[in-house]
Amino acid sequence: MRFKFPLMAIGLEVVMIVLFALFVQYETSVNTSRNPNETESAAMDVEKTMESYPFFQDVHIMVFAGFGFLMTFLWKYGFSGVGINLLIAALGLQWGTIIQGIFRSHGQKFLIEMKNMIHADFSTVTVLISFGAVLGKTSPVQMLIMTILEITVYAANEYLVFKILWASDTGESMTIHAFGAYFGLAVAGILYRSGLKEKHSNEESVYHSDLFAMIGSLFLWIFWPSFNSATADEAKKQYRAIVNTYFSLAASVVTAYACSSLLESRGKLNMVHIQNATLAGGVAVGTCADMEIPPYYAMIIGSIAGAVSVFGFKFLTPLFTTKLRIHDTCGVHNLHGLPGVIGGLAGIITVALEESDSTKTVSQAAALGSSIATALVGGLITGS
Amino acid sequence: MRFKFPLMAIGLEVVMIVLFALFVQYETSVNTSRNPNETESAAMDVEKTMESYPFFQDVHIMVFAGFGFLMTFLWKYGFSGVGINLLIAALGLQWGTIIQGIFRSHGQKFLIEMKNMIHADFSTVTVLISFGAVLGKTSPVQMLIMTILEITVYAANEYLVFKILWASDTGESMTIHAFGAYFGLAVAGILYRSGLKEKHSNEESVYHSDLFAMIGSLFLWIFWPSFNSATADEAKKQYRAIVNTYFSLAASVVTAYACSSLLESRGKLNMVHIQNATLAGGVAVGTCADMEIPPYYAMIIGSIAGAVSVFGFKFLTPLFTTKLRIHDTCGVHNLHGLPGVIGGLAGIITVALEESDSTKTVSQAAALGSSIATALVGGLITGS
Amino acid sequence: MRFKFPLMAIGLEVVMIVLFALFVQYETSVNTSRNPNETESAAMDVEKTMESYPFFQDVHIMVFAGFGFLMTFLWKYGFSGVGINLLIAALGLQWGTIIQGIFRSHGQKFLIEMKNMIHADFSTVTVLISFGAVLGKTSPVQMLIMTILEITVYAANEYLVFKILWASDTGESMTIHAFGAYFGLAVAGILYRSGLKEKHSNEESVYHSDLFAMIGSLFLWIFWPSFNSATADEAKKQYRAIVNTYFSLAASVVTAYACSSLLESRGKLNMVHIQNATLAGGVAVGTCADMEIPPYYAMIIGSIAGAVSVFGFKFLTPLFTTKLRIHDTCGVHNLHGLPGVIGGLAGIITVALEESDSTKTVSQAAALGSSIATALVGGLITGS
């Protein structure tokens, strides 16, 4: 048993190296040297792909520092939060590169661009969200397995949503946030039955663990405009996604603080709400961030998401634990699940109002349904 | 009383949404679809405005992580420092967008560019600086009111300085730093008389609160070159502002350490000096950072600012508390007030030496005077 | 004695200002105004040099926040780690600008570009690495002296490697990492004899000091692709350096976790390994990151480096202390020394396979030898 984790980790790394040797090649290596006429156009691609590098770095900070420190709020799990976060993300980005690349190239060799690296980082986010639901209930070995399985299901659903349904989801509210949350809840539901109740006593935050969690929370908040705009395919959409996310986030901070003070005894602010619900505006505006919506519309989405998220923490999470026997350690349902669904619904409404073609609206609805359904099924299978 | 904060916060957010619906529109929405001939030029604008996005992100880190964590150094106020910082900045950036936009468009609808977002973030900095002077003396409700009032006065003074006096202040040493510090000191002076002396016993830093404050201090230090160059209007000026700020900051670190060791018993370094005075070089070089000054001139400004700031912490702050009955919790006078004034003076001297036209010099002097005067008057009115 | 540190610091700052006045000028000041025909081309240069600014900022974060917080893992030295880090880097970047500029301009006046600022930040990294080996054994005065001496030796060796041998070392695995580690070990060896054994009892990490160290570790991890690509001179090389570093780092995380679990009692993960060995992949891929290697090759280098680094912490560091009487406080030999040598060797092998001309291979080997030799000699002299 002692050697299970190291052997599995090394085995997975060897598999990754073999898969990279088989499937991955450079933008500008054999292919360009074979045909000198293509050199010019290949060089152009490098310049263009490098334009996405600052967006990649912003997303990279969110994945490794943002999610990592957000999970340090429980004192007993502080180090395992940030440590296992790094392991999941480092393994996940390799597997995400491979599985997404194979889906898109239909099993051929493929080139690595900055966009592949952004998508690889994105794929790990689903696992990091689910990890928030099961923190303290799983071993490192289980997390290695969950990383491989969840990213595979994610890549399949993402291919369905973007390449078959042709739905819009630039900030991936549905395909990452709702997906990751419901996947994690399904796994947490299975693990609950295994009788892990006694661990709950470890769930205490202390003063400085809350400050460490604020590091994660703030870096997520700061870079969310980059997250929602990183994969937008033209400058105009990227610009709109940035502006809308900026104002949606600001609005969700104000309503989250207001609702937190409203619901807590003697009007005090609850730190868990501040760390999490302030981000709900970024999640919820994700699907329609790059659409032609006026900025005040983004602020309304953010305001609603901030409020709903606080109500979720206060009323839904305790209900989930007692009634549904699902214990959601970090409350990912309130930060990613509910706001992800709000994002999906806002996307459906926006498309229905903007586009005369109703098949577009149906695609959006199908994308939301598919994301939740594959997440629940995938999570239940993974948990078993 | 219990519902005062949540109701006021929600009310303000509703007002913001209504104002955005009335005044804010996109760079590329109705206007371009109305006139297809303008599409080309509008698309160009998007490309150009996106060039400022990395600078916006750097400033964004400073506002939300930098100032937030800098205020965690007092253990008792650690969470309220970083938490209220987020609330002020999130509300302030919405109001700043509106009030600055209305001033510049003379009450017409206006478009959001990256520069508007940078200016909106800038406007919140004034309140964050003033918050440092009154930390521990105010309630969240009072901070909401102060945010709205201070940003209004700031926008008026900024319009006067840049659009009527046509003065130079690229890093806004006068219009943000000196303004924010003196506004905060005026409010702190009023609040002192209200008899809040007993709170001072909470003013202790502990070992890890000082490390949390270093997170804020370092991120401010790292990105200050972006702060001073973010609004420069041509590449050459932006480049000069970066280089000058880089070396001015480095020089102020060395003299701040030297003076701290000189003044403390047994030559030890004082952590408050290290967290704050090392940044004085960035503040003081702000006004003339983009002018044609040789780099060693920037280093002299930084050296002086670092030293003056340490002396301020050691001798002026205690004097302010006992003699003037102004209690400056974070010592913002030493980090923003004095270095801001040094910056204003350095700007006057540089312009006087460079320009033959003496009206330019008078404009600079008028800008410094106006920034301090409006801050003091605004602060006294707000505090009452 | 009391005034030794402040007087030396102020003296050094005055020397820096004088040297800047003598040697440093702007890209676009006197030279362009003298000859109006050159204005066009000079303006082009500014645009081009500004393209490196995002890379500079990423490196800047690594130097000031990354290395600073990485050294907070020992509770007793937490503040001195991050505080002295800032002092060394602020002084070092000024001296590095001067000494590197003089070497390259052969004693003439020179212009400051973004690349100069990146190289200045790089030069301070050598001292920060060496500081990790001597943390807790030196006074601030000794660190001022070491900063000046080490950067001088570094600049000489760098000139030899890049401008005489014309070797490749884009991420400076040899010239920064191996150099800084062996320089520090040599100094630590000398200081050991001075009888500082009793200080070792301070070497304890506590739970939150490990979390602070993770801030440093993660920001280094996140931005390492920028470090290895910042000085690459064409877009294609920059792109390759980013991709290779990204995957090498990911691979080294997985093998470092596996080996840590393998070697620790009861399969637990060791926090020092997680903070340090996960970065070994970034160091080791540095020399050949921009060469035409397939990505799986980078992953093999990273996997080996992560494993070797953990073995180094477990077996070599205790051996160094007991047998060689060299006490390496932060274990820089395992994070920078060994992976730097692996990087140098990987560079030799890659060049030998790629280039038909064997003089290139000899140059690479000479560069590795020179970096280690000058480091050891320089360190022994500095320590005495």
Side-chain angles (χ1 to χ4, degrees):
Chain A
M1 278 307 282
R2 242 216 72 169
F3 299 109
K4 205 171 162 188
F5 171 73
L7 291 181
M8 183 182 281
I10 290 173
L12 283 170
E13 188 54 46
V14 170
V15 170
M16 293 301 151
I17 291 174
V18 171
L19 288 171
F20 266 71
L22 292 174
F23 287 107
V24 178
Q25 64 187 35
Y26 270 111
E27 183 75 20
T28 53
S29 55
V30 199
N31 49 331
T32 58
S33 58
R34 251 200 314 245
N35 185 347
N37 298 334
E38 280 174 27
T39 313
E40 179 76 0
S41 71
M44 296 276 291
D45 283 345
V46 170
E47 300 276 333
K48 203 175 151 25
T49 202
M50 285 297 290
E51 283 174 17
S52 298
Y53 184 60
F55 289 88
F56 163 71
Q57 275 295 7
D58 292 354
V59 170
H60 213 43
I61 297 173
M62 294 175 74
V63 171
F64 288 89
F67 282 100
F69 279 103
L70 188 59
M71 272 179 268
T72 58
F73 79 106
L74 297 175
W75 199 227
K76 288 270 176 61
Y77 303 143
F79 209 84
S80 93
V82 72
I84 301 298
N85 188 89
L86 175 58
L87 176 65
I88 293 171
L91 176 65
L93 70 87
Q94 298 178 58
W95 177 236
T97 304
I98 288 289
I99 189 76
Q100 290 179 321
I102 289 178
F103 261 111
R104 279 158 197 239
S105 74
H106 302 285
Q108 302 297 305
K109 280 199 172 214
F110 56 90
L111 305 168
I112 298 283
E113 294 190 64
M114 288 300 134
K115 287 270 161 87
N116 296 58
M117 287 164 56
I118 292 171
H119 281 292
D121 267 28
F122 272 19
S123 73
T124 69
V125 172
T126 58
V127 193
L128 300 179
I129 291 170
S130 305
F131 178 48
V134 300
L135 182 63
K137 305 186 193 74
T138 52
S139 68
V141 169
Q142 289 176 307
M143 288 315 302
L144 292 180
I145 299 168
M146 188 166 132
T147 302
I148 300 297
L149 293 180
E150 182 164 0
I151 289 178
T152 310
V153 182
Y154 162 74
N157 179 57
E158 198 208 14
Y159 187 76
L160 173 70
V161 166
F162 292 118
K163 297 293 170 190
I164 295 175
L165 296 172
W166 294 100
S168 280
D169 194 17
T170 187
E172 307 215 3
S173 308
M174 303 182 285
T175 42
I176 288 179
H177 294 286
F179 177 90
Y182 289 106
F183 195 103
L185 290 175
V187 175
I190 302 279
L191 292 179
Y192 194 89
R193 293 200 285 275
S194 322
L196 283 140
K197 264 177 282 189
E198 71 284 0
K199 284 232 173 156
H200 298 180
S201 60
N202 278 336
E203 269 181 47
E204 288 164 40
S205 74
V206 298
Y207 202 78
H208 33 243
S209 72
D210 272 318
L211 275 176
F212 278 113
M214 277 307 286
I215 299 174
S217 183
L218 285 174
F219 276 102
L220 287 171
W221 200 91
I222 290 165
F223 290 113
W224 216 290
S226 295
F227 190 93
N228 282 353
S229 64
T231 60
D233 50 8
E234 48 175 314
K236 216 186 284 183
K237 287 190 171 187
Q238 201 158 38
Y239 151 78
R240 277 203 299 264
I242 288 168
V243 174
N244 283 326
T245 307
Y246 178 64
F247 289 116
S248 174
L249 280 167
S252 77
V253 168
V254 178
T255 57
Y257 274 68
C259 295
S260 180
S261 167
L262 202 64
L263 296 181
E264 292 297 300
S265 64
R266 296 187 300 124
K268 293 192 88 176
L269 295 166
N270 182 315
M271 296 183 185
V272 168
H273 301 165
I274 292 178
Q275 286 152 12
N276 290 278
T278 51
L279 300 166
V283 176
V285 85
T287 301
C288 57
D290 63 343
M291 298 179 188
E292 287 226 349
I293 54 172
Y296 76 90
Y297 186 82
M299 290 162 76
I300 292 172
I301 294 174
S303 301
I304 293 170
V308 166
S309 183
V310 170
F311 280 86
F313 273 104
K314 191 72 185 175
F315 302 114
L316 271 187
T317 300
L319 217 73
F320 270 46
T321 313
T322 52
K323 301 286 173 188
L324 298 179
R325 304 172 72 82
I326 295 171
H327 178 257
D328 178 2
T329 316
C330 299
V332 298
H333 186 245
N334 312 303
L335 170 50
H336 302 282
L338 287 175
V341 172
I342 293 173
L345 295 175
I348 295 170
I349 294 168
T350 310
V351 168
L353 293 174
E354 265 189 8
E355 310 266 346
S356 49
D357 182 3
S358 73
T359 56
K360 271 288 220 177
T361 314
V362 175
S363 281
Q364 290 295 123
L368 178 58
S370 154
S371 298
I372 295 173
T374 54
L376 289 175
V377 173
L380 289 174
I381 293 169
T382 304
S384 309
Chain B
M1 278 306 282
R2 240 218 72 169
F3 299 110
K4 205 171 164 189
F5 171 74
L7 291 180
M8 183 181 282
I10 289 173
L12 283 170
E13 188 54 47
V14 171
V15 171
M16 292 302 150
I17 291 174
V18 171
L19 288 171
F20 266 72
L22 292 175
F23 287 106
V24 178
Q25 63 186 37
Y26 270 111
E27 182 76 20
T28 52
S29 56
V30 199
N31 49 333
T32 59
S33 58
R34 251 200 312 248
N35 185 348
N37 298 335
E38 280 174 24
T39 313
E40 181 74 2
S41 71
M44 295 275 290
D45 283 343
V46 171
E47 300 276 334
K48 202 175 151 25
T49 201
M50 285 296 290
E51 282 175 17
S52 298
Y53 184 59
F55 289 88
F56 163 72
Q57 276 295 8
D58 292 353
V59 170
H60 213 42
I61 297 174
M62 294 175 74
V63 171
F64 288 89
F67 282 100
F69 278 103
L70 188 59
M71 271 180 270
T72 58
F73 79 107
L74 298 175
W75 198 229
K76 287 270 177 59
Y77 303 144
F79 209 85
S80 94
V82 72
I84 301 299
N85 188 88
L86 176 57
L87 176 66
I88 293 172
L91 175 66
L93 70 87
Q94 298 177 57
W95 177 237
T97 305
I98 289 290
I99 190 77
Q100 289 178 322
I102 289 177
F103 261 111
R104 278 158 198 239
S105 73
H106 301 285
Q108 302 297 305
K109 281 200 171 214
F110 55 89
L111 305 168
I112 298 284
E113 295 190 64
M114 289 298 134
K115 286 271 160 86
N116 295 57
M117 287 163 56
I118 293 171
H119 281 292
D121 268 29
F122 272 19
S123 73
T124 70
V125 172
T126 57
V127 192
L128 300 179
I129 291 169
S130 304
F131 178 48
V134 300
L135 182 63
K137 304 186 194 76
T138 53
S139 68
V141 169
Q142 289 174 307
M143 288 316 301
L144 293 180
I145 299 168
M146 189 166 132
T147 302
I148 301 297
L149 293 180
E150 181 165 359
I151 289 177
T152 310
V153 181
Y154 162 75
N157 179 57
E158 197 208 15
Y159 187 77
L160 173 69
V161 166
F162 293 117
K163 298 293 170 190
I164 295 175
L165 296 171
W166 295 99
S168 280
D169 194 17
T170 186
E172 308 215 3
S173 308
M174 303 183 285
T175 42
I176 288 180
H177 295 285
F179 177 90
Y182 289 106
F183 194 103
L185 290 176
V187 175
I190 303 278
L191 293 179
Y192 194 89
R193 292 199 286 275
S194 320
L196 283 140
K197 264 178 282 192
E198 71 283 1
K199 286 232 172 155
H200 298 180
S201 61
N202 279 336
E203 268 181 47
E204 288 163 40
S205 74
V206 298
Y207 202 77
H208 35 242
S209 73
D210 272 318
L211 274 176
F212 278 113
M214 277 307 287
I215 299 174
S217 183
L218 285 174
F219 277 101
L220 287 171
W221 201 91
I222 291 165
F223 290 113
W224 216 290
S226 296
F227 190 93
N228 282 354
S229 63
T231 60
D233 49 8
E234 48 174 314
K236 216 186 285 183
K237 287 190 170 187
Q238 201 157 37
Y239 151 79
R240 277 203 298 264
I242 289 168
V243 175
N244 283 324
T245 308
Y246 179 64
F247 289 115
S248 174
L249 280 168
S252 76
V253 168
V254 178
T255 57
Y257 273 68
C259 294
S260 180
S261 167
L262 202 64
L263 296 180
E264 292 298 299
S265 65
R266 297 188 299 124
K268 292 192 88 176
L269 295 166
N270 183 314
M271 296 183 184
V272 168
H273 302 165
I274 291 177
Q275 286 153 12
N276 291 278
T278 51
L279 300 166
V283 176
V285 85
T287 301
C288 56
D290 64 343
M291 299 180 188
E292 288 225 349
I293 53 172
Y296 76 91
Y297 186 82
M299 291 162 76
I300 292 171
I301 294 174
S303 301
I304 293 169
V308 166
S309 184
V310 170
F311 279 86
F313 273 104
K314 190 74 186 174
F315 302 114
L316 271 186
T317 299
L319 217 74
F320 270 47
T321 312
T322 53
K323 300 286 171 187
L324 298 179
R325 303 172 72 84
I326 295 171
H327 177 256
D328 178 1
T329 317
C330 299
V332 299
H333 186 245
N334 312 302
L335 170 51
H336 302 281
L338 287 175
V341 172
I342 293 173
L345 295 175
I348 295 169
I349 295 168
T350 311
V351 168
L353 293 174
E354 265 188 8
E355 310 266 346
S356 50
D357 181 4
S358 72
T359 56
K360 271 288 221 178
T361 313
V362 175
S363 282
Q364 290 296 124
L368 178 60
S370 153
S371 298
I372 294 173
T374 54
L376 289 174
V377 173
L380 289 173
I381 293 167
T382 304
S384 309
Chain C
M1 278 306 284
R2 242 218 70 168
F3 298 110
K4 206 171 162 187
F5 171 73
L7 292 181
M8 183 182 282
I10 289 173
L12 283 170
E13 188 55 46
V14 171
V15 171
M16 292 302 150
I17 291 173
V18 171
L19 288 172
F20 267 73
L22 292 174
F23 287 106
V24 178
Q25 64 186 37
Y26 271 112
E27 183 76 20
T28 52
S29 55
V30 199
N31 49 333
T32 58
S33 58
R34 251 201 312 248
N35 185 347
N37 298 334
E38 279 173 26
T39 314
E40 180 75 3
S41 71
M44 296 277 289
D45 283 344
V46 171
E47 300 276 334
K48 202 175 153 23
T49 201
M50 285 297 291
E51 282 174 17
S52 298
Y53 183 60
F55 289 89
F56 163 71
Q57 276 294 7
D58 292 353
V59 170
H60 213 44
I61 297 174
M62 294 175 74
V63 172
F64 288 89
F67 282 100
F69 279 102
L70 188 59
M71 271 180 270
T72 58
F73 79 106
L74 297 175
W75 198 229
K76 287 271 176 58
Y77 303 143
F79 209 85
S80 92
V82 72
I84 301 299
N85 189 89
L86 175 58
L87 176 65
I88 293 171
L91 176 65
L93 70 87
Q94 298 177 58
W95 177 236
T97 304
I98 288 290
I99 189 76
Q100 290 179 321
I102 289 177
F103 261 111
R104 279 158 197 238
S105 74
H106 302 285
Q108 302 298 305
K109 281 200 170 213
F110 55 90
L111 304 168
I112 297 283
E113 294 190 64
M114 288 300 135
K115 286 271 161 86
N116 295 57
M117 286 162 58
I118 293 172
H119 281 292
D121 267 29
F122 272 18
S123 73
T124 70
V125 172
T126 57
V127 193
L128 300 179
I129 291 170
S130 305
F131 178 48
V134 300
L135 183 62
K137 305 186 193 75
T138 52
S139 69
V141 170
Q142 288 175 308
M143 288 316 301
L144 293 180
I145 299 168
M146 189 166 133
T147 302
I148 301 297
L149 293 180
E150 182 165 0
I151 289 177
T152 311
V153 181
Y154 162 74
N157 179 57
E158 197 208 14
Y159 186 77
L160 173 69
V161 166
F162 293 117
K163 297 292 170 190
I164 294 175
L165 295 173
W166 294 101
S168 279
D169 194 17
T170 187
E172 308 215 6
S173 308
M174 304 182 284
T175 42
I176 288 179
H177 295 285
F179 177 90
Y182 289 106
F183 195 103
L185 290 176
V187 175
I190 302 278
L191 292 179
Y192 194 89
R193 292 199 287 275
S194 321
L196 283 140
K197 263 178 284 191
E198 70 284 359
K199 284 234 172 152
H200 298 180
S201 60
N202 279 335
E203 269 182 47
E204 288 163 39
S205 74
V206 299
Y207 202 78
H208 34 243
S209 73
D210 272 318
L211 274 176
F212 278 113
M214 277 307 285
I215 299 174
S217 183
L218 284 173
F219 276 102
L220 287 171
W221 201 90
I222 290 165
F223 290 113
W224 217 289
S226 296
F227 190 93
N228 281 354
S229 64
T231 60
D233 49 9
E234 48 174 313
K236 217 186 282 184
K237 287 189 171 188
Q238 201 158 38
Y239 151 79
R240 277 203 298 264
I242 288 168
V243 175
N244 283 325
T245 308
Y246 179 64
F247 289 115
S248 174
L249 279 167
S252 76
V253 169
V254 178
T255 57
Y257 274 68
C259 293
S260 180
S261 167
L262 201 64
L263 296 180
E264 292 297 300
S265 64
R266 297 189 297 127
K268 292 192 88 176
L269 295 166
N270 183 314
M271 297 184 184
V272 169
H273 301 165
I274 292 177
Q275 286 152 13
N276 291 279
T278 51
L279 300 166
V283 176
V285 84
T287 301
C288 56
D290 64 343
M291 299 180 188
E292 287 226 349
I293 54 172
Y296 76 90
Y297 186 82
M299 291 162 76
I300 292 172
I301 295 174
S303 300
I304 293 170
V308 166
S309 183
V310 170
F311 279 87
F313 273 104
K314 191 71 186 175
F315 302 114
L316 271 186
T317 299
L319 216 74
F320 269 47
T321 312
T322 53
K323 301 285 171 188
L324 297 179
R325 302 173 73 83
I326 295 171
H327 177 256
D328 178 2
T329 316
C330 298
V332 299
H333 186 245
N334 313 301
L335 169 51
H336 302 281
L338 287 176
V341 171
I342 293 174
L345 295 175
I348 295 170
I349 294 169
T350 310
V351 168
L353 293 174
E354 265 189 9
E355 310 267 346
S356 49
D357 181 4
S358 73
T359 57
K360 270 289 221 178
T361 313
V362 175
S363 281
Q364 290 296 123
L368 179 58
S370 153
S371 299
I372 295 173
T374 54
L376 289 174
V377 173
L380 289 173
I381 293 168
T382 305
S384 309

